[in-house]
Amino acid sequence: MYWLMLGIALFGIFLIVLYLMSPLLGPKALSLHRAHVLVTGGSSGIGKAVAIEAAKQGANISIIARNKTKLMQAKQEIESFLKNSEKQKVEMYSVDLSGDYSEVEKTIKQAELNLGPVKLLINCAGNAIANYFENLPVSEFRRMMEMNYFSTVNVTKAVITSMIEQQFGRIVFVSSVAGQVGVFGFTAYSAAKFALRGFAEALQMEMKVNNIYITLAFPPDTDTPGLAAEQIGKPRETKLISESAGLFQPDEVARVIIEDTKKGKFLCSMGLDGYIVAMLTAGMSPVISIMDALQQVITMGLFRAISLVYLRFYDGVVTQCAEEKKKDN
Ligand SMILES: *[C@@H]1O[C@H](CO)[C@@H](O)[C@H](O)[C@H]1NC(C)=O
Ligand SMILES: *[C@@H]1O[C@H](CO)[C@@H](O)[C@H](O)[C@H]1NC(C)=O
Ligand SMILES: *[C@@H]1O[C@H](CO)[C@@H](O)[C@H](O)[C@H]1NC(C)=O
């Protein structure tokens, strides 16, 4: 009994020491007040919600998207949330991110001339398609890479020089739960989002010396126009599997992304399922807080056991759908 108490007490002290040390590992928290925040895909969905959250916190904002009408509407909406409408500005740029790199670079230069060096880049531009592998044309695989991966590479490349000059920067890649776990129906989309992970880990290792921190966000299904479009052709299995994780609102996802980014956290997840998957798939990813590292160390084995239950459930869904299809034929 005595030894047990002593053990618990020592472990408690160990945790407190780790907790006290943990902020020492991370960068200084970013304040968005007066910061230039640039959001791609900023005219709708998570991108617009993130821009609104940054506006509330006093940032100057540039949004990039293709559709001028939507950009104009989004600009007005974001402006209605400004903390100080006399000092803060919202600028918009209509660009096709899948166009030539020089166009992207020109736009970023212009945005930096208007509002100063970008402190925080949020790559939200992206697009999902869900269908059975046998029904997906190979061209869709290429398109998914263009929209989710290469667009992020090009924009990030265009801001990195000035961030290195400033010796300051934060970059967000918006991935997806389907970028942590390969999900039924997402052969093309999951692969493109997984690509972001490799890019993010390598880039973080290169950029830490320049005080540049990358955040990889893994939102679950979020109530956006993008999700609505994605429903077209979505296999029933995909719906049943992803719906089990629940539906999130863009503003709650945006709040988590902004908070984690300000701290410089590498992995950013939402909800209990999101937390479990993030711990489970932490792998060799960079970590800036001892508390996070400790949680990963302690939970990984347990969460792997829980994941087996999830995998069994997914298998069940797939088997049941296959049997129903056989009956229908
Ligand atoms: C926004 O940008 C303008 C123009 O660069 C600058 O004068 C102003 O201080 C910035 N405002 C905030 C709140 O950052
Ligand atoms: C742009 O967005 C508007 C409003 O959502 C839509 O009506 C229009 O068709 C879109 N234009 C293009 C070229 O996609
Ligand atoms: C990125 O830049 C390259 C080089 O200009 C270009 O071929 C590509 O289309 C650009 N954008 C995307 C999304 O691939």
Side-chain angles (χ1 to χ4, degrees):
M1 195 60 199
Y2 171 75
W3 288 109
L4 184 67
M5 300 276 279
L6 186 70
I8 290 173
L10 282 178
F11 189 65
I13 292 169
F14 173 66
L15 286 184
I16 290 168
V17 169
L18 282 181
Y19 178 74
L20 291 176
M21 275 171 69
S22 62
L24 299 178
L25 276 181
K28 200 168 148 258
L30 165 71
S31 159
L32 290 184
H33 182 66
R34 303 176 74 88
H36 181 190
V37 175
L38 188 142
V39 187
T40 73
S43 69
S44 73
I46 296 176
K48 187 172 76 181
V50 163
I52 288 174
E53 185 59 31
K56 286 183 186 164
Q57 300 194 21
N60 274 331
I61 293 162
S62 302
I63 51 174
I64 297 183
R66 210 171 343 184
N67 187 319
K68 278 212 176 92
T69 321
K70 280 199 207 157
L71 269 170
M72 237 123 71
Q73 287 165 355
K75 178 170 151 50
Q76 275 180 6
E77 196 180 334
I78 297 163
E79 278 169 345
S80 70
F81 286 96
L82 293 177
K83 203 166 133 192
N84 180 340
S85 56
E86 269 150 41
K87 289 222 172 114
Q88 279 170 274
K89 283 189 188 148
V90 182
E91 307 272 358
M92 55 174 221
Y93 304 89
S94 165
V95 187
D96 179 5
L97 291 176
S98 60
D100 205 53
Y101 174 71
S102 58
E103 276 303 304
V104 175
E105 199 179 29
K106 226 168 66 191
T107 308
I108 302 290
K109 287 260 154 68
Q110 189 55 51
E112 296 203 310
L113 276 179
N114 291 345
L115 295 173
V118 173
K119 284 227 156 101
L120 168 55
L121 162 65
I122 305 176
N123 289 289
C124 276
N127 193 285
I129 184 163
N131 211 327
Y132 300 99
F133 177 60
E134 59 269 35
N135 294 348
L136 276 176
V138 283
S139 60
E140 283 298 328
F141 282 75
R142 201 163 285 275
R143 194 176 70 89
M144 282 296 107
M145 286 300 277
E146 294 288 344
M147 304 201 68
N148 295 296
Y149 175 69
F150 285 112
S151 64
T152 302
V153 172
N154 287 13
V155 179
T156 301
K157 175 91 178 158
V159 300
I160 208 76
T161 320
S162 92
M163 283 188 175
I164 292 173
E165 270 167 23
Q166 302 288 317
Q167 290 288 298
F168 188 93
R170 295 287 164 81
I171 303 174
V172 180
F173 297 165
V174 176
S175 179
S176 158
V177 171
Q180 297 167 295
V181 180
V183 179
F184 193 106
F186 283 131
T187 46
Y189 179 66
S190 274
K193 290 297 195 186
F194 266 73
L196 282 178
R197 168 104 189 213
F199 175 39
E201 288 191 9
L203 186 65
Q204 179 64 84
M205 205 185 274
E206 286 188 30
M207 288 301 150
K208 197 170 173 185
V209 286
N210 295 310
N211 190 29
I212 297 170
Y213 286 84
I214 318 286
T215 295
L216 191 56
F218 301 104
D221 271 0
T222 307
D223 190 7
T224 62
L227 183 73
E230 188 188 311
Q231 299 306 318
I232 303 160
K234 195 181 235 184
R236 197 159 150 255
E237 292 91 334
T238 314
K239 284 185 188 158
L240 292 170
I241 288 171
S242 55
E243 274 167 10
S244 67
L247 184 66
F248 282 65
Q249 291 306 312
D251 56 339
E252 29 176 341
V253 169
R255 260 197 308 275
V256 178
I257 292 179
I258 291 286
E259 280 326 299
D260 284 357
T261 303
K262 283 162 72 179
K263 290 182 201 141
K265 273 176 84 161
F266 184 75
L267 299 175
C268 163
S269 62
M270 295 96 200
L272 181 62
D273 281 2
Y275 176 78
I276 292 178
V277 178
M279 290 294 135
L280 190 52
T281 60
M284 282 276 280
S285 61
V287 58
I288 53 127
S289 122
I290 289 183
M291 283 314 276
D292 287 349
L294 194 69
Q295 288 173 49
Q296 291 162 0
V297 170
I298 292 175
T299 59
M300 213 175 257
L302 172 69
F303 287 169
R304 177 56 177 156
I306 294 175
S307 82
L308 300 178
V309 178
Y310 279 70
L311 289 174
R312 176 72 199 80
F313 166 70
Y314 301 152
D315 276 351
V317 167
V318 175
T319 310
Q320 198 193 337
C321 287
E323 275 165 10
E324 278 166 19
K325 260 181 258 163
K326 251 185 237 154
K327 250 187 250 155
D328 289 347
N329 287 339

